[in-house]
Amino acid sequence: MTTFLHGANAYANGIRQHYLRYGGQRKSGDNDRDPVILLPGITSPAATWGFVGEVLGRTFDTYIVDIRGRGLSEASAALDYSLDAQADDVLALARALELPRFSLVGHSMGARIAIRAARQRPRGLARVVLVDPPVSGPGRRPYPADLNWYVQSIALCRGGAGPEDMRAFCPSWTEEQLRLRAEWLHTCDERAVRCSFEGFHLDDVHADLPRLAAPVLLIAAGRGDVIRQADIEEMSALVPAMRVARVPAAGHMIPWDDEAGFYEAFGNFLGAEIQPSNQSQRRIQDAG
């Protein structure tokens, strides 16, 4: 049975923000479980994270957000695509949804948005999960990806490219994953992607980390070069109480590479363990 409830829009921080909602109200004993707001990466519209939303929705009231300039959220030539604007978006959305408490789960760019938002110490922020955040910034090694990889694949999808065209960019992905990427990638505004990629190298999220007050969990990929052991140690020094979990078999797109390991990495950090459905378990077994 699906946990998907609906897609919807909210006007928050001066723009229309689109999100997908899974699960609805979830309770554990006498205590409400805090809702989860999931923030995807640089070219990942909310729909591409639906398989994760289905699972999270079994335990938590879950909102997957189309970051401005992606998916069905607002995009325009005049829109501010900066990290600060993105961080303000998520906090304004939480207020618009009237969430008294919530947790942020951000992947890649979404993790940097979560850091910048959490720096403000907003009322109601319960927990922050950072999934393989880019650690690039002023004076640091560059983000290990080529901007043209994003730009070229977006251009192909604007021209009607299909899953086989995407396979050249994501050779290890399943047919279903490639189909979703081909379907939704054209909704990523190239200006938004360029601005975010540039921000990976200009925005100093390390300066934000000591200002975080909410509990933090870092989930790091065991493969790939986005975050190294030295980076984990530096972040741990900046956030001494930060919990760290590794997913050894996964690259940067952790739930795509090792979905089971991704859920296990959360443990009970969000207030309850994540329980995959029978359907997701079969998908995980098939992927293995």
Side-chain angles (χ1 to χ4, degrees):
M1 179 181 296
T2 183
T3 66
F4 176 69
L5 294 178
H6 57 256
N9 297 281
Y11 191 76
N13 196 32
I15 67 167
R16 176 184 47 75
Q17 298 189 48
H18 177 261
Y19 62 89
L20 303 176
R21 188 179 182 188
Y22 295 81
Q25 187 64 46
R26 293 289 186 244
K27 294 187 175 183
S28 176
D30 296 330
N31 299 318
D32 290 349
R33 292 174 179 168
D34 297 322
V36 171
I37 299 177
L38 195 155
L39 307 172
I42 188 169
T43 55
S44 294
T48 64
W49 277 77
F51 70 105
V52 174
E54 287 281 3
V55 173
L56 290 179
R58 289 171 56 84
T59 309
F60 305 99
D61 186 15
T62 301
Y63 302 81
I64 306 180
V65 182
D66 274 326
I67 307 300
R68 60 169 59 200
R70 285 90 174 168
L72 301 182
S73 285
E74 191 164 329
S76 79
L79 203 60
D80 179 1
Y81 289 120
S82 68
L83 181 62
D84 286 331
Q86 293 168 334
D88 289 343
D89 281 350
V90 65
L91 298 182
L93 179 62
R95 292 192 295 270
L97 296 173
E98 299 182 345
L99 302 178
R101 283 175 58 88
F102 60 94
S103 296
L104 292 179
V105 176
H107 171 253
S108 192
M109 178 191 75
R112 290 170 69 93
I113 296 171
I115 292 171
R116 183 57 56 91
R119 181 187 71 171
Q120 301 183 38
R121 300 189 176 188
R123 179 178 299 178
L125 179 58
R127 304 168 190 84
V128 180
V129 181
L130 308 175
V131 183
D132 222 45
V135 293
S136 47
R140 296 178 178 274
R141 74 175 189 278
Y143 180 59
D146 183 355
L147 176 61
N148 288 327
W149 186 92
Y150 300 110
V151 172
Q152 291 170 8
S153 57
I154 291 170
L156 282 173
C157 288
R158 283 202 305 266
E164 284 306 313
D165 300 292
M166 293 297 98
R167 195 178 301 279
F169 296 88
C170 309
S172 65
W173 286 23
T174 67
E175 182 73 15
E176 180 182 5
Q177 292 164 351
L178 293 170
R179 284 189 179 280
L180 270 176
R181 188 158 182 83
E183 179 184 2
W184 284 95
L185 189 58
H186 76 93
T187 69
C188 294
D189 189 311
E190 183 179 320
R191 292 160 297 194
V193 173
R194 287 183 178 276
C195 183
S196 294
F197 191 89
E198 181 180 347
F200 285 172
H201 304 92
L202 298 179
D203 295 314
D204 186 1
V205 295
H206 288 77
D208 298 337
L209 289 171
R211 300 171 62 178
L212 305 191
V216 179
L217 168 65
L218 171 66
I219 298 178
R223 297 188 286 107
D225 197 36
V226 172
I227 183 166
R228 302 172 181 172
Q229 182 58 36
D231 302 316
I232 295 175
E233 292 171 2
E234 180 183 9
M235 293 177 69
S236 296
L238 294 170
V239 189
M242 182 178 73
R243 289 169 54 175
V244 178
R246 275 193 174 276
V247 186
H252 182 56
M253 301 299 286
I254 296 179
W256 278 254
D257 292 342
D258 184 358
E259 190 177 351
F262 176 65
Y263 301 135
E264 290 170 5
F266 283 84
N268 63 356
F269 181 78
L270 293 175
E273 293 187 355
I274 298 171
Q275 301 294 333
S277 64
N278 291 335
Q279 180 180 359
S280 63
Q281 288 173 342
R282 287 194 296 271
R283 181 175 62 245
I284 291 167
Q285 291 170 354
D286 291 343

